[in-house]
Amino acid sequence: MNGGLLVAGTTSDAGKSVVTAGICRWLVRQGVKVAPFKAQNMSLNSFVTREGAEIGRAQAMQAQACRVEPTALMNPVLLKPGGEQSSQVVLLGKPVGELSARGYHGGRQQALLGTVLESLEELRGTYDAVICEGAGSPAEINLRRTDIVNMGIARNARLPVLVVGDIDRGGVFASFFGTVALLSPEDQELVAGFLVNKFRGDISLLEPGLDMLHGLTGRRTYGVLPFRHGLGIDEEDGLRISLRGAVRESAVAAPVGEDVLRVAVCAVPLMSNFTDVDALAAEPGVVVRFVDRPEELADADLVVVPGTRGTVRALEWLRERGLAEALRRRAADGRPVLGICGGFQMLGEHIEDDVESRRGDVAGLGILPVRVRFAREKTLARPVGEALGERVEGYEIHHGVAEVTGGEAFLDGCRVGRTWGTHWHGSLESDGFRRAFLREVAAAAGRRFVPAPDTSFAALREEQLDRLGDLIEQHADTDALRRLIESGAPQGLPFIPPGAPA
């Protein structure tokens, strides 16, 4: 096999990431050497590869579905929003500047097409198949001229396109038809067909509509995937804990001890890498929720202040909401608080920021003896260390450089009493460390909570990816899908008027 496929969607969150991962896992189980690819990703959830490149976490998880190491080639352009009007542009894993949406779509995006195509071509020269993920909808006619992630990449690389629609939202037939009908004749030639996602009920009731859709468009439906809870891989955006549903439904979800642990995560603006708390949600008996009011911290056994792309803005938000004072009271009372990356920085004494917010000197919450200076160069690293007597692996993505002036050492950060701070994302995925940390939290909270002795976060991820592969294998026409990947879109697909505006 030497082929490729673009998985597009009728909307954002139609299931492109999940379907891409599922196809990847199905192929690799068939002995195909496969890689994921997303030309341009907009996300605050990112990951650091072993070579020190920053890419979207969804592509890192898709690489795991392929059982390969993620690389910068799999996500050559990453946009990290810093506000309503601008984003940091990360090119081949390294930040290259900030751009407004108008500036990016006004010229810079199209200039990156060469880099995108070169990255895809290098992957196609190395792997038997490359499964590409689109962004939003391919029928965003206002952006088609500069598009490099949907039909722009499909046209240039001659990729067949599979359009995914979320039937749970309703209107899926109109969405499928309208998506094709708003594309130019040249783009329509590559749209091979459709895949229905999140179907509930009797499929025989759906089949007449699929037949009519085929008659109207000349394009077949390659599968109908049933609705399943807890199948989201690491999210690009939104407030979803990707493993929470899967673990809650599992047979081991009841707590091992007599109590549960309640974790409150401060839903700060521009929250990044909130997937850090997935590993907590994976523990039987740990209840994780996102909060934005001080009274919601009252019954929490642990409060997590997560990362953010706007540390100073998030700090102001904590103060405006009354959460800052609630956090200070918790720390003074010896009640557990964990700050990660931007959250760690906010817990410190002082922030000097002439880079991210350009606000200069700003007072922190004063809970940890830390002073932070924002550097223009971003730290991207994959550290390994030890804490609480356990080995820990993590990854770092930050401009802030922390000077720790006191407390106990903790994962290159520090600890004072029951307040911990670190720049390390992903540390809680280390099973032994997570269990040791939760035992300390439970003791401080007076809870008779016992971590499960055998919870493996890595195994849960693998199980989840296998479930995605099962969905494709059991509910898609895999023979037709394989022909599509190998041979491209069928010839002679009809044009559906009116087509794209002139």
Side-chain angles (χ1 to χ4, degrees):
M1 177 185 285
N2 184 13
L5 175 70
L6 175 69
V7 178
T10 55
T11 62
S12 295
D13 203 30
K16 296 183 292 291
S17 296
V18 166
V19 169
T20 300
I23 292 173
C24 286
R25 178 50 62 101
W26 160 65
L27 283 173
V28 80
R29 293 195 307 207
Q30 301 302 308
V32 178
K33 188 180 179 184
V34 60
F37 180 80
K38 186 161 185 173
Q40 171 199 298
N41 196 347
M42 178 172 279
S43 179
L44 287 172
N45 281 336
S46 57
F47 181 78
V48 179
T49 67
R50 294 204 180 277
E51 71 266 32
E54 185 180 8
I55 65 172
R57 274 199 68 107
Q59 279 61 66
M61 291 280 68
Q62 288 163 356
Q64 185 173 348
C66 298
R67 298 183 178 138
V68 298
E69 275 291 325
T71 72
L73 294 173
M74 296 171 183
N75 179 205
V77 181
L78 173 64
L79 305 179
K80 302 193 72 176
E84 296 297 325
Q85 300 295 329
S86 67
S87 294
Q88 183 180 66
V89 181
V90 179
L91 181 62
L92 289 174
K94 304 297 180 184
V96 294
E98 297 271 341
L99 274 180
S100 67
R102 181 180 294 273
Y104 184 70
H105 290 288
R108 181 60 189 269
Q109 184 182 36
Q110 188 66 19
L112 296 174
L113 179 60
T115 300
V116 164
L117 290 172
E118 288 170 7
S119 299
L120 177 58
E121 190 61 28
E122 187 169 343
L123 287 175
R124 295 185 80 173
T126 305
Y127 293 89
D128 301 330
V130 179
I131 308 303
C132 307
E133 179 187 343
S137 162
E140 291 168 348
I141 54 180
N142 56 316
L143 302 176
R144 176 62 184 91
R145 181 177 60 85
T146 57
D147 170 50
I148 64 171
V149 65
N150 290 308
M151 300 312 300
I153 190 75
R155 281 269 292 279
N156 278 279
R158 302 307 299 171
L159 292 170
V161 179
L162 182 69
V163 180
V164 177
D166 180 354
I167 197 170
D168 201 46
R169 295 183 174 193
V172 74
F173 292 115
S175 298
F176 282 146
F177 184 88
T179 296
V180 179
L182 281 176
L183 299 178
S184 69
E186 295 81 6
D187 285 349
Q188 287 193 23
E189 288 177 2
L190 295 173
V191 179
F194 314 106
L195 189 141
V196 176
N197 191 29
K198 296 185 182 178
F199 178 70
R200 309 174 191 244
D202 185 347
I203 196 169
S204 67
L205 300 177
L206 184 67
E207 287 169 346
L210 300 179
D211 292 340
M212 286 186 273
L213 182 67
H214 183 267
L216 288 166
T217 67
R219 290 159 174 85
R220 60 167 300 169
T221 298
Y222 283 77
V224 177
L225 307 186
F227 186 94
R228 293 286 187 269
H229 288 284
L231 285 181
I233 60 173
D234 288 17
E235 301 296 326
E236 293 183 356
D237 291 295
L239 287 180
R240 186 176 304 162
I241 303 175
S242 62
L243 284 175
R244 191 177 189 177
V247 174
R248 186 170 53 207
E249 293 173 1
S250 71
V252 296
V256 175
E258 297 179 43
D259 287 344
V260 299
L261 275 187
R262 295 172 176 85
V263 179
V265 184
C266 296
V268 298
L270 296 173
M271 182 165 45
S272 61
N273 287 77
F274 56 82
T275 48
D276 284 331
V277 300
D278 279 2
L280 294 178
E283 281 287 345
V286 176
V287 180
V288 179
R289 68 184 190 273
F290 290 90
V291 304
D292 60 3
R293 296 182 299 181
E295 54 268 29
E296 293 179 294
L297 305 188
D299 68 344
D301 302 308
L302 169 67
V303 174
V304 177
V305 188
T308 172
R309 254 280 285 158
T311 301
V312 170
R313 177 180 168 186
L315 189 54
E316 291 174 343
W317 181 86
L318 290 175
R319 289 184 168 123
E320 290 165 1
R321 295 268 177 159
L323 286 160
E325 188 54 39
L327 286 167
R328 276 193 285 261
R329 286 197 303 269
R330 279 190 69 92
D333 292 343
R335 303 183 66 199
V337 176
L338 171 64
I340 303 174
C341 200
F344 167 44
Q345 296 165 8
M346 287 184 271
L347 295 177
E349 298 170 343
H350 180 265
I351 296 171
E352 180 186 337
D353 182 10
D354 295 318
V355 176
E356 192 175 75
S357 70
R358 298 181 177 86
R359 295 284 294 277
D361 293 342
V362 178
L365 297 181
I367 298 172
L368 292 177
V370 176
R371 299 177 68 84
V372 176
R373 176 185 57 82
F374 273 67
R376 298 202 174 275
E377 291 295 316
K378 181 185 283 191
T379 296
L380 297 170
R382 290 278 294 270
V384 177
E386 185 177 300
L388 306 182
E390 299 286 346
R391 187 176 187 273
V392 188
E393 296 184 29
Y395 59 98
E396 295 184 66
I397 306 169
H398 54 91
H399 284 279
V401 178
E403 177 190 359
V404 178
T405 60
E408 301 175 46
F410 176 74
L411 299 180
D412 290 346
C414 69
R415 168 187 182 171
V416 173
R418 299 296 184 180
T419 300
W420 298 264
T422 177
H423 273 133
W424 291 22
H425 294 291
S427 61
L428 293 166
E429 296 178 19
S430 297
D431 297 327
F433 167 71
R434 182 180 64 256
R435 287 191 276 268
F437 178 73
L438 289 176
R439 281 193 290 269
E440 285 220 11
V441 169
R447 297 284 186 189
R448 288 173 294 184
F449 169 84
V450 178
D454 55 355
T455 300
S456 166
F457 188 72
L460 284 170
R461 274 184 171 168
E462 277 296 301
E463 178 186 310
Q464 189 181 38
L465 291 168
D466 275 332
R467 290 177 69 199
L468 295 178
D470 292 344
L471 271 184
I472 298 298
E473 191 169 323
Q474 296 167 11
H475 301 282
D477 185 338
T478 51
D479 289 339
L481 199 56
R482 185 162 185 142
R483 287 194 299 272
L484 186 63
I485 295 168
E486 291 178 336
S487 306
Q491 297 296 306
L493 292 169
F495 170 71
I496 308 302

